[in-house]
Amino acid sequence: MLTMRDRQLDGLRAVAVLMVLYAHFFAADDSHWGHLGVRMFFVLSGFLITRLLLDARSAAQFEAATTLRSFYIRRALRIFPPYFGMLGFVWLVNLEGAREGWAWHALYLSNFWYALKDAWTPWVLCHTWSLSIEEQFYIVWPLLILLTPRHWIGRLCIGVIACSLAYRFYWPLTGEPSLARDLLPPASMDALAAGALLAVHRSTATAWPRWMTVSWLPFSILSLVLLWGRSMPVGPALDWIVWIGLEVLPLVSLVMLVGTASAGFRGDFGRLLELPPLTALGRVSYGVYLFHPVVLALVVKAQGWIPVNVSEQGVGRLVVAGAATLVVAAFSWLALERPLNGLKRHFPYLRANGRPSAPSASAGSTVDWFQGRGDERPHPAYRADAAGRGNALQASDLQ
């Protein structure tokens, strides 16, 4: 049974994927809302994966090899079947010329493919750049989290964020913008690592640092101003400033949204995130994101049989393509994804029937949020016996 926190995180997934659908189905211009939705997904992924791995690492039955093996198998069960089903379909019908570069997409190198081409062709697979970023993150990050000394994990997250920021500020020196600017891994590592740092922080404290509580509102307002300014003609220097601002400034608000939802929003906003239609959409959000460009391509091809305009951005496209996407995603969830998720029970993160062992002196050590202070007293919400922690690991696995 889903807890309030699980439901609210599903609600945030729904909000993120709705932002993507708005940008791709309705917005008349190059809407940044879709990219902001992807950034929210990155924060969610970084947070949930790191929280899961830290919980496993804190258990008495923890073995790095067992946890890594189970993590990769469970991720494969969750991600690969619908992904390769979608790729197989577009290859079979060669939808929008999708056979070009198909091997890159099959190897989760779509972001490098589009960066090298500097063009969104084939466009029907353009969304796979973010799925490739996620998969590249899934391969490397568990190794770092499970093998890095516990008291260095927070510093590791901060280092990744700093490198990503340095990448952003270096890029204007390279000349004209290109797709590589946004598609190479460093352009997304700040959001993923910020979510990971949130998981580290949430294991030791409940209060947000003052700089975040003071800055999130001004940063959000400034982000909206920059978003409005994107539609206006500006010079190259100002265009770079707008790009950097829209990438960096919303992160504080996104992290606080995810962190507060993970604890459970109170009041009207919490009830909104827990509305059954929103949480249901959140549960199938992977399928919605995965299939929506394919559905859009098919809907546009069928324009002659559809009484409303779906060939252009607008209400007709949003309603028809959006509804069709939900049907496909729901079918994928019920017929494929949910049954395969049931197989995860055969691959627990912790070794079975292991002898309890005393945690090391640094087992609970984490780095305080952005301040580099060790704290070896986990927050009470994270203290649990081995069985309780195992149950939490099962419940917190990514949907």
PDB file of all heavy atoms in Angstrom, residues 119-147:
ATOM      1  N   ALA A 119      21.530  18.038 -34.541  1.00  0.00           N
ATOM      2  CA  ALA A 119      20.206  18.150 -35.161  1.00  0.00           C
ATOM      3  C   ALA A 119      19.306  17.089 -34.549  1.00  0.00           C
ATOM      4  O   ALA A 119      19.758  15.979 -34.220  1.00  0.00           O
ATOM      5  CB  ALA A 119      20.297  17.953 -36.673  1.00  0.00           C
ATOM      6  N   TRP A 120      18.008  17.420 -34.421  1.00  0.00           N
ATOM      7  CA  TRP A 120      17.048  16.488 -33.834  1.00  0.00           C
ATOM      8  C   TRP A 120      16.493  15.557 -34.906  1.00  0.00           C
ATOM      9  O   TRP A 120      15.306  15.575 -35.223  1.00  0.00           O
ATOM     10  CB  TRP A 120      15.912  17.243 -33.162  1.00  0.00           C
ATOM     11  CG  TRP A 120      16.281  17.972 -31.912  1.00  0.00           C
ATOM     12  CD1 TRP A 120      16.265  19.317 -31.708  1.00  0.00           C
ATOM     13  CD2 TRP A 120      16.711  17.393 -30.669  1.00  0.00           C
ATOM     14  NE1 TRP A 120      16.664  19.622 -30.426  1.00  0.00           N
ATOM     15  CE2 TRP A 120      16.946  18.457 -29.765  1.00  0.00           C
ATOM     16  CE3 TRP A 120      16.928  16.082 -30.237  1.00  0.00           C
ATOM     17  CZ2 TRP A 120      17.373  18.241 -28.456  1.00  0.00           C
ATOM     18  CZ3 TRP A 120      17.363  15.868 -28.940  1.00  0.00           C
ATOM     19  CH2 TRP A 120      17.579  16.940 -28.062  1.00  0.00           C
ATOM     20  N   THR A 121      17.345  14.735 -35.477  1.00  0.00           N
ATOM     21  CA  THR A 121      16.901  13.759 -36.461  1.00  0.00           C
ATOM     22  C   THR A 121      17.492  12.395 -36.102  1.00  0.00           C
ATOM     23  O   THR A 121      18.700  12.298 -35.860  1.00  0.00           O
ATOM     24  CB  THR A 121      17.371  14.154 -37.877  1.00  0.00           C
ATOM     25  OG1 THR A 121      18.781  14.339 -37.883  1.00  0.00           O
ATOM     26  CG2 THR A 121      16.678  15.412 -38.350  1.00  0.00           C
ATOM     27  N   PRO A 122      16.648  11.357 -36.032  1.00  0.00           N
ATOM     28  CA  PRO A 122      15.194  11.363 -36.223  1.00  0.00           C
ATOM     29  C   PRO A 122      14.484  11.938 -34.998  1.00  0.00           C
ATOM     30  O   PRO A 122      14.792  11.553 -33.867  1.00  0.00           O
ATOM     31  CB  PRO A 122      14.861   9.889 -36.408  1.00  0.00           C
ATOM     32  CG  PRO A 122      15.930   9.172 -35.634  1.00  0.00           C
ATOM     33  CD  PRO A 122      17.171   9.995 -35.784  1.00  0.00           C
ATOM     34  N   TRP A 123      13.537  12.819 -35.236  1.00  0.00           N
ATOM     35  CA  TRP A 123      12.909  13.529 -34.119  1.00  0.00           C
ATOM     36  C   TRP A 123      12.042  12.619 -33.267  1.00  0.00           C
ATOM     37  O   TRP A 123      11.820  12.896 -32.080  1.00  0.00           O
ATOM     38  CB  TRP A 123      12.086  14.711 -34.627  1.00  0.00           C
ATOM     39  CG  TRP A 123      10.845  14.352 -35.393  1.00  0.00           C
ATOM     40  CD1 TRP A 123      10.706  14.263 -36.727  1.00  0.00           C
ATOM     41  CD2 TRP A 123       9.558  14.026 -34.838  1.00  0.00           C
ATOM     42  NE1 TRP A 123       9.428  13.902 -37.074  1.00  0.00           N
ATOM     43  CE2 TRP A 123       8.703  13.755 -35.928  1.00  0.00           C
ATOM     44  CE3 TRP A 123       9.050  13.941 -33.546  1.00  0.00           C
ATOM     45  CZ2 TRP A 123       7.365  13.392 -35.754  1.00  0.00           C
ATOM     46  CZ3 TRP A 123       7.715  13.577 -33.375  1.00  0.00           C
ATOM     47  CH2 TRP A 123       6.896  13.314 -34.479  1.00  0.00           C
ATOM     48  N   VAL A 124      11.553  11.507 -33.830  1.00  0.00           N
ATOM     49  CA  VAL A 124      10.656  10.645 -33.060  1.00  0.00           C
ATOM     50  C   VAL A 124      11.382   9.989 -31.882  1.00  0.00           C
ATOM     51  O   VAL A 124      10.740   9.517 -30.938  1.00  0.00           O
ATOM     52  CB  VAL A 124      10.032   9.581 -33.989  1.00  0.00           C
ATOM     53  CG1 VAL A 124      11.054   8.497 -34.353  1.00  0.00           C
ATOM     54  CG2 VAL A 124       8.800   8.946 -33.350  1.00  0.00           C
ATOM     55  N   LEU A 125      12.704   9.970 -31.912  1.00  0.00           N
ATOM     56  CA  LEU A 125      13.474   9.413 -30.796  1.00  0.00           C
ATOM     57  C   LEU A 125      14.243  10.480 -30.033  1.00  0.00           C
ATOM     58  O   LEU A 125      15.117  10.150 -29.226  1.00  0.00           O
ATOM     59  CB  LEU A 125      14.458   8.347 -31.317  1.00  0.00           C
ATOM     60  CG  LEU A 125      13.841   7.065 -31.870  1.00  0.00           C
ATOM     61  CD1 LEU A 125      14.923   6.157 -32.446  1.00  0.00           C
ATOM     62  CD2 LEU A 125      13.045   6.333 -30.788  1.00  0.00           C
ATOM     63  N   CYS A 126      13.905  11.744 -30.263  1.00  0.00           N
ATOM     64  CA  CYS A 126      14.692  12.813 -29.653  1.00  0.00           C
ATOM     65  C   CYS A 126      14.600  12.791 -28.125  1.00  0.00           C
ATOM     66  O   CYS A 126      15.535  13.210 -27.436  1.00  0.00           O
ATOM     67  CB  CYS A 126      14.279  14.176 -30.201  1.00  0.00           C
ATOM     68  SG  CYS A 126      12.578  14.658 -29.823  1.00  0.00           S
ATOM     69  N   HIS A 127      13.484  12.285 -27.593  1.00  0.00           N
ATOM     70  CA  HIS A 127      13.331  12.265 -26.136  1.00  0.00           C
ATOM     71  C   HIS A 127      14.249  11.258 -25.464  1.00  0.00           C
ATOM     72  O   HIS A 127      14.451  11.311 -24.244  1.00  0.00           O
ATOM     73  CB  HIS A 127      11.881  11.952 -25.775  1.00  0.00           C
ATOM     74  CG  HIS A 127      11.427  10.579 -26.182  1.00  0.00           C
ATOM     75  ND1 HIS A 127      11.527  10.110 -27.469  1.00  0.00           N
ATOM     76  CD2 HIS A 127      10.876   9.564 -25.462  1.00  0.00           C
ATOM     77  CE1 HIS A 127      11.062   8.882 -27.538  1.00  0.00           C
ATOM     78  NE2 HIS A 127      10.658   8.521 -26.325  1.00  0.00           N
ATOM     79  N   THR A 128      14.827  10.343 -26.237  1.00  0.00           N
ATOM     80  CA  THR A 128      15.679   9.317 -25.634  1.00  0.00           C
ATOM     81  C   THR A 128      17.005   9.885 -25.132  1.00  0.00           C
ATOM     82  O   THR A 128      17.746   9.179 -24.439  1.00  0.00           O
ATOM     83  CB  THR A 128      15.953   8.177 -26.632  1.00  0.00           C
ATOM     84  OG1 THR A 128      16.556   8.717 -27.814  1.00  0.00           O
ATOM     85  CG2 THR A 128      14.661   7.462 -27.002  1.00  0.00           C
ATOM     86  N   TRP A 129      17.301  11.155 -25.441  1.00  0.00           N
ATOM     87  CA  TRP A 129      18.540  11.741 -24.903  1.00  0.00           C
ATOM     88  C   TRP A 129      18.518  11.720 -23.371  1.00  0.00           C
ATOM     89  O   TRP A 129      19.527  11.406 -22.730  1.00  0.00           O
ATOM     90  CB  TRP A 129      18.726  13.174 -25.403  1.00  0.00           C
ATOM     91  CG  TRP A 129      17.852  14.198 -24.724  1.00  0.00           C
ATOM     92  CD1 TRP A 129      16.614  14.609 -25.121  1.00  0.00           C
ATOM     93  CD2 TRP A 129      18.146  14.911 -23.512  1.00  0.00           C
ATOM     94  NE1 TRP A 129      16.106  15.531 -24.232  1.00  0.00           N
ATOM     95  CE2 TRP A 129      17.032  15.745 -23.246  1.00  0.00           C
ATOM     96  CE3 TRP A 129      19.226  14.933 -22.637  1.00  0.00           C
ATOM     97  CZ2 TRP A 129      16.975  16.586 -22.127  1.00  0.00           C
ATOM     98  CZ3 TRP A 129      19.176  15.764 -21.517  1.00  0.00           C
ATOM     99  CH2 TRP A 129      18.056  16.584 -21.278  1.00  0.00           C
ATOM    100  N   SER A 130      17.352  12.051 -22.796  1.00  0.00           N
ATOM    101  CA  SER A 130      17.261  12.100 -21.331  1.00  0.00           C
ATOM    102  C   SER A 130      17.264  10.695 -20.736  1.00  0.00           C
ATOM    103  O   SER A 130      17.813  10.473 -19.650  1.00  0.00           O
ATOM    104  CB  SER A 130      16.010  12.864 -20.897  1.00  0.00           C
ATOM    105  OG  SER A 130      14.842  12.237 -21.388  1.00  0.00           O
ATOM    106  N   LEU A 131      16.658   9.734 -21.431  1.00  0.00           N
ATOM    107  CA  LEU A 131      16.686   8.354 -20.957  1.00  0.00           C
ATOM    108  C   LEU A 131      18.116   7.811 -20.995  1.00  0.00           C
ATOM    109  O   LEU A 131      18.507   7.019 -20.127  1.00  0.00           O
ATOM    110  CB  LEU A 131      15.766   7.488 -21.813  1.00  0.00           C
ATOM    111  CG  LEU A 131      14.292   7.927 -21.839  1.00  0.00           C
ATOM    112  CD1 LEU A 131      13.489   7.040 -22.778  1.00  0.00           C
ATOM    113  CD2 LEU A 131      13.690   7.898 -20.438  1.00  0.00           C
ATOM    114  N   SER A 132      18.896   8.244 -21.974  1.00  0.00           N
ATOM    115  CA  SER A 132      20.297   7.838 -22.033  1.00  0.00           C
ATOM    116  C   SER A 132      21.091   8.439 -20.881  1.00  0.00           C
ATOM    117  O   SER A 132      21.933   7.759 -20.273  1.00  0.00           O
ATOM    118  CB  SER A 132      20.908   8.272 -23.374  1.00  0.00           C
ATOM    119  OG  SER A 132      20.288   7.603 -24.461  1.00  0.00           O
ATOM    120  N   ILE A 133      20.832   9.692 -20.569  1.00  0.00           N
ATOM    121  CA  ILE A 133      21.487  10.321 -19.422  1.00  0.00           C
ATOM    122  C   ILE A 133      21.181   9.534 -18.151  1.00  0.00           C
ATOM    123  O   ILE A 133      22.074   9.244 -17.330  1.00  0.00           O
ATOM    124  CB  ILE A 133      21.025  11.780 -19.265  1.00  0.00           C
ATOM    125  CG1 ILE A 133      21.575  12.652 -20.403  1.00  0.00           C
ATOM    126  CG2 ILE A 133      21.432  12.338 -17.903  1.00  0.00           C
ATOM    127  CD1 ILE A 133      23.019  13.030 -20.252  1.00  0.00           C
ATOM    128  N   GLU A 134      19.914   9.178 -17.973  1.00  0.00           N
ATOM    129  CA  GLU A 134      19.519   8.412 -16.786  1.00  0.00           C
ATOM    130  C   GLU A 134      20.255   7.074 -16.730  1.00  0.00           C
ATOM    131  O   GLU A 134      20.763   6.673 -15.678  1.00  0.00           O
ATOM    132  CB  GLU A 134      18.007   8.170 -16.796  1.00  0.00           C
ATOM    133  CG  GLU A 134      17.163   9.417 -16.616  1.00  0.00           C
ATOM    134  CD  GLU A 134      16.618   9.544 -15.209  1.00  0.00           C
ATOM    135  OE1 GLU A 134      17.095   8.808 -14.315  1.00  0.00           O
ATOM    136  OE2 GLU A 134      15.720  10.373 -15.013  1.00  0.00           O
ATOM    137  N   GLU A 135      20.322   6.380 -17.850  1.00  0.00           N
ATOM    138  CA  GLU A 135      20.965   5.074 -17.854  1.00  0.00           C
ATOM    139  C   GLU A 135      22.457   5.195 -17.584  1.00  0.00           C
ATOM    140  O   GLU A 135      23.040   4.378 -16.862  1.00  0.00           O
ATOM    141  CB  GLU A 135      20.721   4.378 -19.200  1.00  0.00           C
ATOM    142  CG  GLU A 135      21.160   2.930 -19.231  1.00  0.00           C
ATOM    143  CD  GLU A 135      20.411   2.068 -18.221  1.00  0.00           C
ATOM    144  OE1 GLU A 135      19.263   2.394 -17.890  1.00  0.00           O
ATOM    145  OE2 GLU A 135      20.993   1.050 -17.776  1.00  0.00           O
ATOM    146  N   GLN A 136      23.100   6.195 -18.152  1.00  0.00           N
ATOM    147  CA  GLN A 136      24.519   6.426 -17.875  1.00  0.00           C
ATOM    148  C   GLN A 136      24.726   6.712 -16.384  1.00  0.00           C
ATOM    149  O   GLN A 136      25.713   6.265 -15.785  1.00  0.00           O
ATOM    150  CB  GLN A 136      25.024   7.583 -18.738  1.00  0.00           C
ATOM    151  CG  GLN A 136      25.071   7.247 -20.222  1.00  0.00           C
ATOM    152  CD  GLN A 136      24.972   8.458 -21.130  1.00  0.00           C
ATOM    153  OE1 GLN A 136      25.230   9.592 -20.723  1.00  0.00           O
ATOM    154  NE2 GLN A 136      24.598   8.240 -22.373  1.00  0.00           N
ATOM    155  N   PHE A 137      23.800   7.431 -15.797  1.00  0.00           N
ATOM    156  CA  PHE A 137      23.850   7.714 -14.365  1.00  0.00           C
ATOM    157  C   PHE A 137      23.672   6.432 -13.552  1.00  0.00           C
ATOM    158  O   PHE A 137      24.390   6.182 -12.585  1.00  0.00           O
ATOM    159  CB  PHE A 137      22.760   8.726 -14.025  1.00  0.00           C
ATOM    160  CG  PHE A 137      22.644   9.075 -12.568  1.00  0.00           C
ATOM    161  CD1 PHE A 137      23.587   9.872 -11.937  1.00  0.00           C
ATOM    162  CD2 PHE A 137      21.568   8.614 -11.822  1.00  0.00           C
ATOM    163  CE1 PHE A 137      23.463  10.209 -10.598  1.00  0.00           C
ATOM    164  CE2 PHE A 137      21.437   8.946 -10.479  1.00  0.00           C
ATOM    165  CZ  PHE A 137      22.397   9.743  -9.869  1.00  0.00           C
ATOM    166  N   TYR A 138      22.707   5.582 -13.970  1.00  0.00           N
ATOM    167  CA  TYR A 138      22.448   4.338 -13.250  1.00  0.00           C
ATOM    168  C   TYR A 138      23.671   3.414 -13.245  1.00  0.00           C
ATOM    169  O   TYR A 138      23.885   2.652 -12.302  1.00  0.00           O
ATOM    170  CB  TYR A 138      21.283   3.573 -13.896  1.00  0.00           C
ATOM    171  CG  TYR A 138      19.937   4.226 -13.786  1.00  0.00           C
ATOM    172  CD1 TYR A 138      18.942   3.961 -14.720  1.00  0.00           C
ATOM    173  CD2 TYR A 138      19.643   5.106 -12.754  1.00  0.00           C
ATOM    174  CE1 TYR A 138      17.691   4.546 -14.627  1.00  0.00           C
ATOM    175  CE2 TYR A 138      18.401   5.698 -12.662  1.00  0.00           C
ATOM    176  CZ  TYR A 138      17.429   5.421 -13.600  1.00  0.00           C
ATOM    177  OH  TYR A 138      16.195   6.005 -13.511  1.00  0.00           O
ATOM    178  N   ILE A 139      24.451   3.437 -14.305  1.00  0.00           N
ATOM    179  CA  ILE A 139      25.609   2.548 -14.397  1.00  0.00           C
ATOM    180  C   ILE A 139      26.701   2.984 -13.424  1.00  0.00           C
ATOM    181  O   ILE A 139      27.290   2.156 -12.719  1.00  0.00           O
ATOM    182  CB  ILE A 139      26.150   2.524 -15.842  1.00  0.00           C
ATOM    183  CG1 ILE A 139      25.139   1.823 -16.769  1.00  0.00           C
ATOM    184  CG2 ILE A 139      27.503   1.821 -15.902  1.00  0.00           C
ATOM    185  CD1 ILE A 139      25.483   1.926 -18.232  1.00  0.00           C
ATOM    186  N   VAL A 140      26.960   4.288 -13.356  1.00  0.00           N
ATOM    187  CA  VAL A 140      28.114   4.779 -12.607  1.00  0.00           C
ATOM    188  C   VAL A 140      27.785   5.083 -11.145  1.00  0.00           C
ATOM    189  O   VAL A 140      28.559   4.754 -10.240  1.00  0.00           O
ATOM    190  CB  VAL A 140      28.683   6.038 -13.291  1.00  0.00           C
ATOM    191  CG1 VAL A 140      29.822   6.641 -12.470  1.00  0.00           C
ATOM    192  CG2 VAL A 140      29.153   5.710 -14.700  1.00  0.00           C
ATOM    193  N   TRP A 141      26.632   5.685 -10.895  1.00  0.00           N
ATOM    194  CA  TRP A 141      26.353   6.236  -9.568  1.00  0.00           C
ATOM    195  C   TRP A 141      26.305   5.184  -8.461  1.00  0.00           C
ATOM    196  O   TRP A 141      26.859   5.422  -7.371  1.00  0.00           O
ATOM    197  CB  TRP A 141      25.065   7.051  -9.606  1.00  0.00           C
ATOM    198  CG  TRP A 141      24.913   7.960  -8.417  1.00  0.00           C
ATOM    199  CD1 TRP A 141      23.996   7.862  -7.415  1.00  0.00           C
ATOM    200  CD2 TRP A 141      25.703   9.119  -8.118  1.00  0.00           C
ATOM    201  NE1 TRP A 141      24.153   8.880  -6.517  1.00  0.00           N
ATOM    202  CE2 TRP A 141      25.197   9.674  -6.922  1.00  0.00           C
ATOM    203  CE3 TRP A 141      26.772   9.741  -8.749  1.00  0.00           C
ATOM    204  CZ2 TRP A 141      25.738  10.811  -6.332  1.00  0.00           C
ATOM    205  CZ3 TRP A 141      27.308  10.879  -8.172  1.00  0.00           C
ATOM    206  CH2 TRP A 141      26.799  11.404  -6.974  1.00  0.00           C
ATOM    207  N   PRO A 142      25.667   4.028  -8.647  1.00  0.00           N
ATOM    208  CA  PRO A 142      25.672   3.033  -7.561  1.00  0.00           C
ATOM    209  C   PRO A 142      27.079   2.617  -7.148  1.00  0.00           C
ATOM    210  O   PRO A 142      27.341   2.386  -5.962  1.00  0.00           O
ATOM    211  CB  PRO A 142      24.892   1.855  -8.160  1.00  0.00           C
ATOM    212  CG  PRO A 142      24.029   2.466  -9.202  1.00  0.00           C
ATOM    213  CD  PRO A 142      24.839   3.581  -9.780  1.00  0.00           C
ATOM    214  N   LEU A 143      27.988   2.511  -8.105  1.00  0.00           N
ATOM    215  CA  LEU A 143      29.371   2.166  -7.768  1.00  0.00           C
ATOM    216  C   LEU A 143      29.979   3.225  -6.859  1.00  0.00           C
ATOM    217  O   LEU A 143      30.655   2.909  -5.874  1.00  0.00           O
ATOM    218  CB  LEU A 143      30.201   2.034  -9.047  1.00  0.00           C
ATOM    219  CG  LEU A 143      29.842   0.850  -9.958  1.00  0.00           C
ATOM    220  CD1 LEU A 143      30.547   0.995 -11.301  1.00  0.00           C
ATOM    221  CD2 LEU A 143      30.213  -0.467  -9.308  1.00  0.00           C
ATOM    222  N   LEU A 144      29.727   4.493  -7.189  1.00  0.00           N
ATOM    223  CA  LEU A 144      30.284   5.574  -6.385  1.00  0.00           C
ATOM    224  C   LEU A 144      29.669   5.602  -4.986  1.00  0.00           C
ATOM    225  O   LEU A 144      30.372   5.758  -3.987  1.00  0.00           O
ATOM    226  CB  LEU A 144      30.061   6.911  -7.091  1.00  0.00           C
ATOM    227  CG  LEU A 144      30.804   7.105  -8.426  1.00  0.00           C
ATOM    228  CD1 LEU A 144      30.410   8.433  -9.061  1.00  0.00           C
ATOM    229  CD2 LEU A 144      32.304   7.042  -8.228  1.00  0.00           C
ATOM    230  N   ILE A 145      28.358   5.443  -4.903  1.00  0.00           N
ATOM    231  CA  ILE A 145      27.678   5.539  -3.607  1.00  0.00           C
ATOM    232  C   ILE A 145      28.048   4.373  -2.694  1.00  0.00           C
ATOM    233  O   ILE A 145      28.237   4.546  -1.486  1.00  0.00           O
ATOM    234  CB  ILE A 145      26.145   5.588  -3.801  1.00  0.00           C
ATOM    235  CG1 ILE A 145      25.755   6.889  -4.501  1.00  0.00           C
ATOM    236  CG2 ILE A 145      25.416   5.472  -2.460  1.00  0.00           C
ATOM    237  CD1 ILE A 145      26.090   8.142  -3.716  1.00  0.00           C
ATOM    238  N   LEU A 146      28.191   3.185  -3.252  1.00  0.00           N
ATOM    239  CA  LEU A 146      28.440   2.007  -2.420  1.00  0.00           C
ATOM    240  C   LEU A 146      29.923   1.804  -2.097  1.00  0.00           C
ATOM    241  O   LEU A 146      30.247   1.135  -1.119  1.00  0.00           O
ATOM    242  CB  LEU A 146      27.890   0.754  -3.108  1.00  0.00           C
ATOM    243  CG  LEU A 146      26.377   0.721  -3.300  1.00  0.00           C
ATOM    244  CD1 LEU A 146      25.958  -0.570  -3.982  1.00  0.00           C
ATOM    245  CD2 LEU A 146      25.635   0.897  -1.981  1.00  0.00           C
ATOM    246  N   LEU A 147      30.802   2.375  -2.887  1.00  0.00           N
ATOM    247  CA  LEU A 147      32.226   2.145  -2.679  1.00  0.00           C
ATOM    248  C   LEU A 147      32.964   3.351  -2.117  1.00  0.00           C
ATOM    249  O   LEU A 147      34.073   3.211  -1.604  1.00  0.00           O
ATOM    250  CB  LEU A 147      32.883   1.704  -4.000  1.00  0.00           C
ATOM    251  CG  LEU A 147      32.298   0.428  -4.633  1.00  0.00           C
ATOM    252  CD1 LEU A 147      33.021   0.100  -5.929  1.00  0.00           C
ATOM    253  CD2 LEU A 147      32.378  -0.745  -3.668  1.00  0.00           C
TER     254      LEU A 147
END
